[in-house]
């Protein structure tokens, strides 16, 4: 194949494995039985911890009890709740004997998801009753609907992760309690049955179903196998860099029920202690300063920084208030980050390195780049190396591979690729080709060295007149203005051009008394100088400028561009 085409294959550094994830955990428990594997803080900042030995034992005890109750390999089990020690133990327990686990966070059991799961014949529901009243009402209604049609040799099973049994909806099923099952599972004969069941789990068994965000329509059910989970951990180990500290200790605040969260629970098997904080606490400007105190007290070496945390850190200069010197690497992923935003983190943590990655629920992680402050240049900004075990190509019209330097849709082929969208063969066919390529939906460009750069999501393009505009192009310009802390550019409806450009700006704090309107007008005039009209007579300068205090985000911390667009339209008085 022409070496100038946008295709690259990076071989595995380490062999792939047929082992299941619980086998890797058990191996770690033999090596570090008394070392903390998982630390979880609740909203009251109360700390709970679990060692590797406890993770192994408790997940075995719970698995033995669930097996004895009638849950078995291949059956669908809904696991729903907030991030907690018990949630992690439940997930690992279900992996031990090959149950196909459906993950949801509190408030996630909407009616559309109930409809999508009805045909899966859910055999068991494991739930955390600690949730808001409205979430509890949603849970009760959804579980009653899911279990009402189940006709099996055994009754559906309910397990509460709370301290006592909790009734769910109108079902008259007995609700088992987590603590009781842990005690019950310590019986020797149940342990022997579990050991046999563990040997029957196969590498290609369906293991876990995670929901997509639904930002482009109905959420899809992403099916991963035991093999994809295990191979993802091999990749994680292969891409790790040495730390000054004895071991990596990673701060994390995404939900365990989300793809990245589920993967992070699994990553404990790579000798990493995970320190978990509630997602809503980390995203709320009124509460998220506390997470930096947790990073300090836990001596975290690694931390994924959402946009909300970056703004909190830089605006309040929290690196001067808390000792964050143990952070050796900060992680940016799940969305595009601007050069200015990354630079602002280096201003606070100059001796740390950054990790910038491209990942999806369907293909785990495809590309990554780790760099220091000195290596963050405009020329290299946003470029990532394809990770071991991945094939990547950039395609254009008719799915033909484009020449390097030409934008197109990125496709990946890897052993970590999802199996299917459950119950949605049409969507699976659109996303996966007959030869195993997955279309990510991102527009990328591959340079001569084989590195890729994301230009934007296909769905985020602004379609003005006959031109497709990448929001990132305009954001890069606006961010160069001295008054701009951050910006999100969206397209809003326009009668003449289909869409017009709107810049939603977070202004920097200043000591002068200029009105917001004056500052926005100055930014607009400056942008016109930077973006003179092109051949079509139109400037890339945004038509509208709005000042915002923050950007809306979902439960995973990503900036929600669709919600930002709706807010902009409402403030501008524009109808769809």
């Amino acid at each position: 194949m022409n070496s100038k085409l946008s295709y690259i294959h990076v071989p595995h550094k380490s062999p792939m494995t047929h082992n299941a994830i619980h086998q890797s955990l058990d191996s770690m428990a033999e090596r570090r039985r008394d070392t903390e594997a998982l630390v979880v803080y609740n909203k009251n900042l109360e700390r709970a911890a679990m060692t590797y030995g406890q993770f192994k034992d408790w997940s075995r005890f719970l698995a033995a009890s669930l097996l004895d109750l009638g849950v078995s390999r291949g059956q669908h089990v809904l696991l729903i709740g907030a991030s907690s020690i018990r949630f992690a133990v439940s997930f690992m327990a279900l992996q031990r004997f090959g149950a196909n686990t459906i993950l949801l966070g509190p408030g996630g059991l909407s009616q559309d998801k109930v409809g999508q799961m009805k045909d899966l014949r859910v055999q068991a529901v494991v739930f955390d009753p600690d949730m808001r009243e409205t979430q509890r009402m949603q849970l009760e209604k959804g579980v009653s609907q899911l279990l009402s049609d189940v006709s099996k040799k055994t009754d559906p099973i309910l397990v509460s992760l709370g301290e006592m049994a909790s009734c769910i909806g109108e079902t008259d099923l007995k609700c088992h309690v987590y603590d009781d099952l842990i005690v019950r599972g310590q019986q020797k004969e149940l342990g022997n049955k579990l050991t046999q069941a563990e040997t029957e789990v196969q590498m290609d068994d369906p293991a876990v179903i995670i929901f997509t965000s639904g930002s482009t329509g109905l959420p899809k059910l992403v099916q991963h196998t035991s093999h994809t989970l295990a191979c993802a951990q091999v990749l994680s180990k292969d891409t790790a860099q040495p730390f000054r500290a004895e071991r990596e200790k990673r701060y994390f605040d995404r939900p365990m029920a989300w793809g990245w969260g589920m993967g992070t629970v699994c990553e404990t098997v790579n000798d990493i202690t995970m320190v978990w904080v509630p997602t809503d606490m980390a995203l709320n400007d009124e509460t998220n300063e506390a997470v930096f105190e947790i990073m300090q007290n836990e001596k975290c070496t690694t931390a994924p920084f959402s946009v909300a945390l970056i703004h909190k850190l830089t605006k309040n200069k929290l690196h001067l208030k808390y000792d964050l010197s143990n952070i050796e690497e900060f992680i940016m992923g799940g969305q595009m980050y601007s050069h200015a935003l990354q630079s602002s983190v280096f201003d606070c943590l100059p001796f740390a390195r950054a990790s910038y990655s491209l990942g999806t629920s369907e293909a785990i992680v495809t590309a990554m780049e780790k760099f220091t402050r000195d290596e963050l240049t405009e020329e290299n900004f946003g470029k990532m190396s394809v990770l071991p075990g991945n094939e990547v190509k950039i395609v254009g019209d008719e799915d033909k591979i484009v020449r390097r330097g030409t934008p197109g849709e990125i496709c990946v082929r890897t052993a970590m690729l999802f199996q299917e969208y459950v119950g949605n063969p049409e969507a699976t066919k659109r996303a996966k080709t007959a030869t195993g390529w997955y279309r990510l939906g991102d527009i990328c460009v591959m340079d001569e060295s084989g590195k890729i750069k994301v230009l934007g999501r296909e769905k985020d393009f602004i379609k003005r007149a006959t031109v497709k505009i990448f929001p990132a192009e305009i954001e890069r310009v606006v961010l160069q203005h001295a008054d701009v802390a951050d910006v999100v550019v969206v397209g809003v409806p326009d009668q003449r051009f289909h869409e017009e450009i709107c810049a939603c700006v977070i202004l920097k704090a200043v000591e002068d008394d200029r009105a917001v309107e004056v500052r926005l007008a100055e930014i607009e005039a400056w942008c016109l100088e930077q973006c003179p009209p092109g051949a079509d007579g139109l400037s890339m300068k945004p038509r509208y400028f709005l000042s915002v205090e923050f950007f809306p985000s979902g439960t995973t911390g990503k900036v929600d561009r669709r919600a930002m667009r709706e807010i902009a339209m409402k403030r501008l008085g524009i109808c769809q």
Side-chain angles (χ1 to χ4, degrees):
M1 179 174 283
N2 188 338
S3 63
K4 295 298 182 181
L5 293 182
S6 298
Y7 168 86
I8 189 170
H9 171 230
V10 181
H12 290 276
K13 287 184 179 179
S14 302
M16 291 187 289
T17 177
H18 62 79
N19 287 338
I21 196 72
H22 70 269
Q23 292 173 299
S24 298
L25 169 63
D26 293 352
S27 177
M28 271 302 304
E30 293 301 315
R31 292 172 49 205
R32 291 192 177 272
R33 182 167 185 82
D34 297 324
T35 300
E36 288 183 343
L38 191 61
V39 175
V40 179
Y41 284 84
N42 63 19
K43 295 176 184 178
N44 298 320
L45 300 182
E46 295 168 331
R47 185 184 193 270
M50 173 175 63
T51 66
Y52 280 103
Q54 290 168 331
F55 201 179
K56 173 188 175 181
D57 293 344
W58 295 347
S59 62
R60 275 189 58 83
F61 298 153
L62 182 59
S65 288
L66 292 173
L67 197 64
D68 188 53
L69 289 173
V71 187
S72 59
R73 175 183 168 214
Q75 290 183 333
H76 290 95
V77 177
L78 174 61
L79 174 57
I80 180 167
S83 303
S84 68
I85 296 288
R86 295 184 176 202
F87 190 98
V89 169
S90 300
F91 171 75
M92 192 62 69
L94 292 164
Q95 296 306 300
R96 286 189 174 278
F97 58 83
N100 194 2
T101 311
I102 308 165
L103 300 180
L104 280 177
L109 194 56
S110 57
Q111 284 297 291
D112 56 357
K113 291 177 182 174
V114 171
Q116 290 173 288
M117 289 190 284
K118 283 288 279 185
D119 292 336
L120 299 185
R121 307 185 71 78
V122 174
Q123 176 61 34
V125 176
V126 181
F127 68 97
D128 186 345
D130 184 15
M131 57 181 68
R132 297 188 180 99
E133 183 61 29
T134 52
Q135 296 170 337
R136 175 62 181 244
M137 292 171 61
Q138 181 199 67
L139 174 69
E140 292 181 355
K141 181 179 180 180
V143 170
S144 296
Q145 293 170 324
L146 281 176
L147 301 184
S148 61
D149 297 341
V150 178
S151 55
K152 293 182 176 291
K153 295 180 180 179
T154 58
D155 286 333
I157 296 160
L158 288 176
V159 176
S160 170
L161 300 183
E163 300 295 335
M164 60 184 66
S166 301
C167 297
I168 287 290
E170 300 175 0
T171 66
D172 56 2
L173 298 171
K174 177 182 178 181
C175 184
H176 302 274
V177 180
Y178 173 91
D179 286 336
D180 293 343
L181 296 183
I182 293 294
V183 173
R184 174 178 176 170
Q186 297 178 41
Q187 297 177 41
K188 184 176 181 180
E189 63 179 86
L190 297 189
N192 292 338
K193 289 179 182 178
L194 173 63
T195 300
Q196 176 58 38
E198 287 176 326
T199 65
E200 296 172 5
V201 176
Q202 298 296 301
M203 58 187 286
D204 290 326
D205 281 354
V208 63
I209 295 173
I210 51 179
F211 280 87
T212 63
S213 64
S215 59
T216 57
L218 273 178
K220 294 185 283 289
L221 288 74
V222 180
Q223 177 72 72
H224 279 288
T225 65
S226 178
H227 187 56
T228 58
L229 298 185
C231 286
Q233 305 324 310
V234 173
L235 173 63
S236 173
K237 188 179 294 185
D238 281 348
T239 56
Q241 291 190 1
F243 285 86
R244 295 190 304 272
E246 178 187 353
R247 303 176 62 251
E248 182 178 353
K249 197 171 191 181
R250 185 183 304 172
Y251 162 88
F252 201 79
D253 57 30
R254 274 56 165 184
M256 288 184 182
W258 185 44
W260 193 0
M262 175 272 299
T264 300
V265 171
C266 294
E267 272 195 277
T268 58
V269 306
N270 285 337
D271 200 10
I272 304 172
T273 296
M274 300 299 176
V275 180
W276 230 285
V277 169
T279 306
D280 50 357
M281 185 175 84
L283 295 181
N284 189 328
D285 191 57
E286 295 181 0
T287 59
N288 60 5
E289 180 174 331
V291 307
F292 293 96
E293 185 174 3
I294 290 172
M295 292 181 200
Q296 168 191 265
N297 295 342
E298 294 288 346
K299 293 182 169 53
C300 293
T301 62
T302 320
F305 281 170
S306 64
V307 172
L309 283 189
I310 292 175
H311 285 311
K312 191 71 172 185
L313 170 67
T314 57
K315 182 179 179 180
N316 293 32
K317 301 185 185 304
L318 295 181
H319 61 293
L320 302 178
K321 184 174 181 180
Y322 301 105
D323 181 5
L324 305 179
S325 60
N326 287 292
I327 296 180
E328 300 183 42
E329 181 174 306
F330 58 92
I331 302 168
M332 296 170 291
Q335 64 186 81
M336 295 180 67
Y337 290 71
S338 67
H339 182 279
L341 208 60
Q342 294 185 30
S343 295
S344 70
V345 182
F346 278 124
D347 289 340
C348 301
L349 305 172
F351 301 110
R353 62 175 175 255
S355 173
Y356 191 52
S357 60
L358 171 63
T360 59
S361 298
E362 291 88 347
I364 315 296
V365 186
T366 300
M368 180 184 293
E369 198 69 24
K370 298 190 179 186
F371 51 90
T372 63
R373 181 176 192 164
D374 292 339
E375 294 167 333
L376 179 61
T377 64
E378 286 286 354
E379 180 182 357
N380 294 327
F381 169 67
K383 292 183 178 181
M384 294 173 281
S385 300
V386 174
L387 292 178
N390 285 279
E391 283 182 279
V392 165
K393 65 178 180 179
I394 311 294
V395 301
D397 295 338
E398 300 178 359
D399 282 348
K400 293 181 178 178
I401 302 177
V402 300
R403 295 182 68 82
R404 296 197 177 188
T406 304
E409 183 178 15
I410 183 173
C411 302
V412 60
R413 187 161 57 185
T414 173
M416 293 169 288
L417 195 59
F418 77 121
Q419 190 176 56
E420 63 174 339
Y421 293 125
V422 179
N424 197 338
E426 296 81 9
T428 303
K429 188 175 181 180
R430 288 193 300 270
K432 290 178 71 174
T433 71
T435 51
W437 289 95
Y438 167 60
R439 309 172 193 274
L440 274 71
D442 289 306
I443 301 303
C444 296
V445 63
M446 183 180 291
D447 69 11
E448 290 298 321
S449 69
K451 290 190 175 184
I452 61 172
K453 182 175 183 177
V454 180
L455 303 179
R457 295 285 292 172
E458 176 70 37
K459 65 182 179 65
D460 292 335
F461 284 159
I462 299 169
K463 302 173 181 65
R464 189 181 66 175
T466 59
V467 179
K468 280 187 175 181
I469 298 171
F470 295 102
E473 290 182 293
I474 304 172
E475 291 166 354
R476 193 157 47 244
V477 174
V478 178
L479 278 165
Q480 294 174 24
H481 193 279
D483 248 4
V484 177
D486 206 354
V487 61
V488 168
V489 169
V490 296
V492 294
D494 184 81
Q495 289 185 347
R496 292 175 60 204
F497 299 124
H498 179 65
E499 281 189 313
E500 261 293 4
I501 306 167
C502 177
C504 303
V505 178
I506 296 177
L507 295 170
K508 289 183 178 177
V510 292
E511 296 180 358
D512 59 54
D513 57 357
R514 286 175 299 156
V516 169
E517 293 76 11
V518 172
R519 298 174 69 189
L520 290 178
E522 291 174 353
I523 296 170
E524 182 174 3
W526 179 85
C527 285
L528 183 57
E529 294 178 4
Q530 313 305 312
C531 306
D536 59 1
L538 298 175
S539 169
M540 296 288 278
K541 175 191 76 67
R543 170 70 176 81
Y544 306 104
F545 286 81
L546 297 174
S547 173
V548 298
E549 294 294 324
F550 60 89
F551 303 132
S553 59
T555 57
T556 58
K558 291 184 183 180
V559 172
D560 189 335
R561 288 182 178 267
R562 186 168 67 171
M564 188 75 260
R565 180 176 186 264
E566 292 172 355
I567 292 170
M569 288 170 56
K570 184 176 181 179
R571 288 183 54 179
L572 294 169
I574 297 174
C575 299
Q576 184 66 50

